[in-house]
């Protein structure tokens, strides 16, 4: 990604991590295991340092091969047009990829690492099998759009999107105190139906579907929770599950969760 703000996303991630460390919510000693540490310590760097650069190198190369001279071909579009295309091409397709990963057993094996940890934290933001991101349509579409001239708009879009996603996973629940301010209730009604918040995304990570909060088969949105509202998968309670993880989880090692389908144990 050849734009100056590319380092800001890791810095935002580090900021959330530091906030969790300061508030003693990062290490999750009481819930985490050595297996969790391996999954996160390997998966996150591989995604940031290998998978994303590889996709953003390969997609433009393929575009130049199939459509010679296509670089910056759409650079004259207005910023709002680029934003609309990004929201559909990247964020909405990510909603459907995420949803498919919960409805198709084979795809779920790509994604189960994201839910097998029994805690919420910035640590799990990138916690998936390596192949989950390799095949994610939105990443490839975003790389193509940057090649076509969306770079400056994508840089800002990415910063906003990742801040929302990190905030929705962080153990520091930024929305919780805002729900207690009565005059903010109408504002939060709009916010929680527009973007992913800790309350809506924590519900997606809950362990027990009968607790009245957990909504494992829904709340799939990443940046925009609006996709859940639009496509009928939203569940809003302004509460948080008592437990996180996967019910009746079968044994699988860190290698099996990161390396599926090449490693299955």
């Amino acid at each position: 990604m050849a734009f100056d703000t590319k380092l800001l996303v890791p810095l935002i991630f580090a900021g959330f991590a530091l906030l969790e460390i300061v508030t003693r919510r990062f290490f999750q000693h009481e819930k985490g295991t050595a297996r969790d540490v391996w999954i996160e310590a390997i998966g996150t760097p591989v995604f940031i340092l290998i998978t994303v650069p590889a996709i953003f190198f390969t997609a433009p190369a393929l575009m130049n091969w199939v459509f010679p001279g296509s670089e910056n071909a759409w650079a004259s579009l207005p910023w709002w047009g680029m934003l609309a295309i990004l929201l559909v091409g990247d964020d909405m397709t990510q909603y459907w990829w995420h949803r498919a990963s919960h409805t198709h057993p084979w795809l779920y094996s790509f994604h189960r690492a994201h839910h097998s940890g029994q805690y919420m934290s910035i640590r799990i933001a990138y916690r998936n099998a390596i192949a989950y991101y390799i095949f994610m349509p939105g990443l490839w579409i975003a790389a193509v759009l940057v090649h076509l001239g969306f770079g400056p708009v994508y840089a800002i879009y990415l910063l906003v999107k990742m801040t929302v996603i990190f905030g929705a996973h962080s153990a520091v629940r930024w929305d919780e105190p805002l729900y207690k301010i009565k005059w903010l209730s109408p504002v939060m009604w709009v916010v929680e139906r527009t973007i992913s918040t800790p309350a809506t995304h924590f519900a997606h990570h809950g362990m027990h579907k009968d607790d009245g909060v957990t909504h494992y088969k829904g709340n799939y949105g990443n940046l925009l929770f609006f996709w859940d509202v639009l496509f009928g998968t939203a569940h809003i309670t302004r509460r948080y599950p008592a437990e996180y993880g996967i019910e009746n989880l079968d044994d699988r090692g860190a290698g099996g969760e990161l390396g599926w389908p090449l490693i299955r144990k």
Side-chain angles (χ1 to χ4, degrees), residues 173 198-219 225 233-244:
R173 305 189 298 214
T200 55
H201 199 68
F202 279 37
H204 176 69
H205 280 262
M207 179 179 285
H208 306 296
K209 62 182 180 180
D210 59 353
D211 63 7
V213 182
T214 294
H215 190 48
Y216 197 60
K217 297 292 187 178
N219 292 19
F225 188 76
T233 53
H235 180 62
I236 301 171
T237 66
R238 296 191 176 185
R239 293 183 290 140
Y240 312 87
E243 294 184 274
Y244 303 95

Side-chain angles (χ1 to χ4, degrees), residues 3 5 72 82 145-156:
F3 37 80
T5 56
N72 294 322
M82 293 183 181
L145 292 174
V146 169
H147 167 77
L148 292 173
F150 284 42
V153 173
Y154 179 70
I156 298 171

Side-chain angles (χ1 to χ4, degrees), residues 5-227:
T5 56
K6 63 183 178 180
L7 294 178
L8 285 180
V9 171
L11 288 176
I12 294 170
F13 181 93
F16 275 101
L18 181 60
L19 185 59
E20 288 190 2
I21 290 170
V22 169
T23 57
R24 298 183 179 182
R25 305 178 193 185
F26 181 77
F27 294 103
Q28 303 286 346
H29 293 302
E30 71 284 3
K31 298 178 181 178
T33 64
R35 171 181 163 279
D36 294 309
V37 173
W38 280 111
I39 291 171
E40 294 153 7
I42 296 173
T44 297
V46 166
F47 171 70
I48 294 173
L49 300 177
I50 299 176
T51 306
V52 171
I55 291 173
F56 275 76
F57 172 81
T58 304
L62 290 173
M63 283 292 291
N64 278 325
W65 179 55
V66 178
F67 303 105
S70 59
E71 187 173 3
N72 294 322
W74 291 2
S76 61
L77 288 175
W79 69 266
W80 51 265
M82 293 183 181
L83 176 60
I85 293 171
L86 283 165
L87 287 172
V88 173
D90 173 61
D91 199 55
M92 190 183 76
T93 60
Q94 193 171 351
Y95 164 88
W96 285 107
W97 176 245
H98 189 187
R99 183 169 174 172
S101 297
H102 278 269
T103 53
H104 297 281
W106 193 80
L107 289 179
Y108 181 71
S109 289
F110 285 131
H111 185 53
R112 67 166 258 167
H114 193 64
H115 289 272
S116 62
Q118 296 185 7
Y119 48 85
M120 294 302 294
S121 168
I122 189 65
R123 287 171 48 176
I124 71 169
Y126 293 128
R127 178 176 165 144
N128 280 290
I130 293 169
Y132 180 81
Y133 293 112
I134 293 173
F135 296 116
M136 182 182 285
L139 276 175
W140 289 91
I141 292 170
V144 167
L145 292 174
V146 169
H147 167 77
L148 292 173
F150 284 42
V153 173
Y154 179 70
I156 298 171
Y157 164 83
L158 184 64
L159 292 178
V160 173
K161 176 173 181 171
M162 296 315 303
T163 300
V164 170
I165 291 175
F166 293 157
H169 287 89
S170 176
V172 181
R173 305 189 298 214
W174 62 263
D175 57 343
E176 189 171 23
L178 301 181
Y179 292 137
K180 298 175 183 178
I181 303 174
K182 289 186 177 180
W183 66 268
L184 274 180
S185 187
V187 176
M188 293 305 294
W189 188 96
V190 174
V191 169
E192 65 193 356
R193 285 163 176 78
T194 304
I195 65 171
S196 293
T197 64
T200 55
H201 199 68
F202 279 37
H204 176 69
H205 280 262
M207 179 179 285
H208 306 296
K209 62 182 180 180
D210 59 353
D211 63 7
V213 182
T214 294
H215 190 48
Y216 197 60
K217 297 292 187 178
N219 292 19
Y220 300 117
N222 289 275
L223 168 56
L224 294 186
F225 188 76
F226 173 73
W227 303 126

